[in-house]
């Protein structure tokens, strides 16, 4: 549809979700939120999808909540009330999600970047937690951002609202990689190609393992991890992966080159 703000395409197991609202810097308007939610749901439900790439048109990845819609609305009517569900979709997606940034991210846009498993940005991209400078709190995005950021950097950047570059974003743990603009697509493909080599259920289980809280009792942790490991070693994917290794072939889940 010509008037849609988020596009969806699946090719060779990669679902590409593209924010396409450059007139307002891909702000999280009601329409964009609804379409993004729907496309994420479709990607997660589609067994043919192995990896999700979240990208954008225009010079800005995402500028955060649509402030024009937010003006004059009461607390119960604010669009931010729908935002936790989007971040949770990204964070808990059983398919790895890669953020591709050809431009800046601000506020809620940075929360989206943090919710993705891997994030790649051009060297010219900038970031800012600008909420305090307009009198609001980066509360919702803190759920996905704080697990990524170094604690000292989180205090500095949340409290000052200072703009920082892609190099600093890598250094504090917000993004994985920064590259020249003409290398962005190759870097994203490098990650998606690697992710596609992983078994779907193993990837989903590994994401859950990385995100779960662990007991302070080391024995309990080892017992839980042993059960998880043994279950996957003995499961269909583990047995197929072992057989493929012995037979020097690709496992059945690796996408074809066609």
């Amino acid at each position: 549809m010509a008037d849609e703000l988020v596009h969806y395409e699946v090719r060779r197991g990669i679902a590409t979700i593209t924010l396409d609202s450059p007139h307002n810097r891909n702000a999280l308007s009601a329409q964009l939120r609804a379409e993004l939610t729907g496309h994420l749901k479709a990607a997660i439900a589609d067994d043919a999808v192995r990896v999700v790439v979240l990208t954008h048109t225009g010079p800005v990845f995402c500028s955060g909540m649509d402030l024009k819609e937010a003006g004059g609305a009461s607390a119960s009517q604010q669009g931010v009330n729908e935002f936790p569900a989007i971040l949770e979709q990204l964070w808990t997606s059983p398919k790895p999600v890669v953020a591709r940034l050809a431009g800046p991210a601000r506020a809620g846009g940075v929360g989206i970047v943090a919710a993705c498993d891997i994030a790649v940005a051009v060297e010219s991209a900038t970031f800012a937690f600008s909420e305090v400078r307009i009198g609001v709190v980066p509360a919702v995005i803190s759920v996905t951002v704080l697990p990524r950021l170094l604690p000292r950097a989180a205090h500095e950047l949340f409290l000052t609202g200072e703009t920082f570059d892609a190099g600093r974003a890598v250094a504090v743990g917000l993004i994985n990689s920064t590259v020249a603009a003409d290398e962005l697509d190759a870097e994203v493909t490098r990650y998606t190609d690697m992710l596609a080599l992983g078994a779907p259920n193993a990837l989903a289980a590994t994401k859950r393992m990385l995100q779960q809280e662990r007991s302070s009792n080391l024995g309990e942790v080892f017992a839980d991890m042993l059960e998880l490991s043994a279950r996957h070693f003995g499961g269909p994917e583990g047995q197929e992966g072992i057989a493929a290794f012995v037979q020097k072939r690709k496992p059945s889940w690796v996408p074809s080159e066609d």
Side-chain angles (χ1 to χ4, degrees):
M1 293 176 59
D3 59 349
E4 70 179 5
L5 300 182
V6 186
H7 309 306
Y8 182 74
E9 178 186 22
V10 179
R11 185 176 182 183
R12 290 188 58 233
I14 309 298
T16 300
I17 299 175
T18 306
L19 308 182
D20 185 20
S21 184
H23 71 280
N24 66 354
R25 307 193 327 155
N26 288 317
L28 295 163
S29 63
Q31 181 182 344
L32 188 143
R33 293 193 306 271
E35 293 179 10
L36 176 57
T37 297
H39 291 324
L40 286 170
K41 183 177 180 180
I44 291 168
D46 188 350
D47 290 340
V49 171
R50 301 292 311 286
V51 182
V52 179
V53 173
L54 183 58
T55 185
H56 64 105
T57 65
V60 176
F61 174 75
C62 179
S63 59
M65 299 306 301
D66 189 326
L67 298 183
K68 289 185 178 180
E69 290 185 353
S74 67
S76 63
Q77 297 173 322
Q78 290 292 334
V80 73
N81 291 310
E82 300 174 5
F83 196 35
I86 294 174
L87 295 180
E88 187 171 359
Q89 275 184 299
L90 292 165
W91 189 265
T92 63
S93 165
K95 286 82 182 286
V97 184
V98 179
R100 175 192 177 277
L101 287 81
R106 296 288 185 271
V110 187
I112 287 176
V113 172
C116 296
D117 298 288
I118 292 172
V120 180
V122 295
E123 294 167 340
S124 59
T126 59
F127 305 83
F129 302 103
S130 50
E131 286 87 346
V132 294
R133 296 194 177 189
I134 61 167
V136 298
V137 178
V140 171
I141 67 168
S142 72
V143 177
T144 58
V145 172
L146 292 183
R148 307 293 191 200
L149 254 57
L150 296 174
R152 183 67 74 179
H155 279 248
E156 173 194 345
L157 297 171
F158 271 46
L159 292 171
T160 66
E162 179 185 22
T163 299
F164 55 103
D165 63 20
R168 181 87 193 277
V170 171
V172 299
L174 179 63
I175 65 175
N176 298 82
S177 174
T178 178
V179 294
D182 60 357
E183 298 173 0
L184 180 60
D185 288 333
E187 181 72 343
V188 171
T189 299
R190 186 176 75 85
Y191 277 113
T192 58
D193 284 351
M194 289 191 292
L195 291 167
L197 297 176
N201 291 329
L203 286 169
T206 300
K207 275 196 66 169
R208 291 192 298 270
M209 179 195 70
L210 288 167
Q211 294 167 356
Q212 73 185 44
E213 293 186 12
R214 297 197 171 192
S215 168
S216 59
N217 184 311
L218 193 61
E220 291 180 0
V221 176
F222 272 123
D224 290 342
M225 293 302 99
L226 173 58
E227 188 278 331
L228 177 63
S229 182
R231 174 156 40 94
H232 282 270
F233 263 102
E237 283 185 348
Q239 289 299 299
E240 163 63 11
I242 292 167
F245 177 81
V246 171
Q247 297 164 16
K248 295 181 171 56
R249 61 173 175 82
K250 293 182 179 179
S252 59
W253 58 76
V254 175
S256 68
E257 298 298 325
D258 299 332

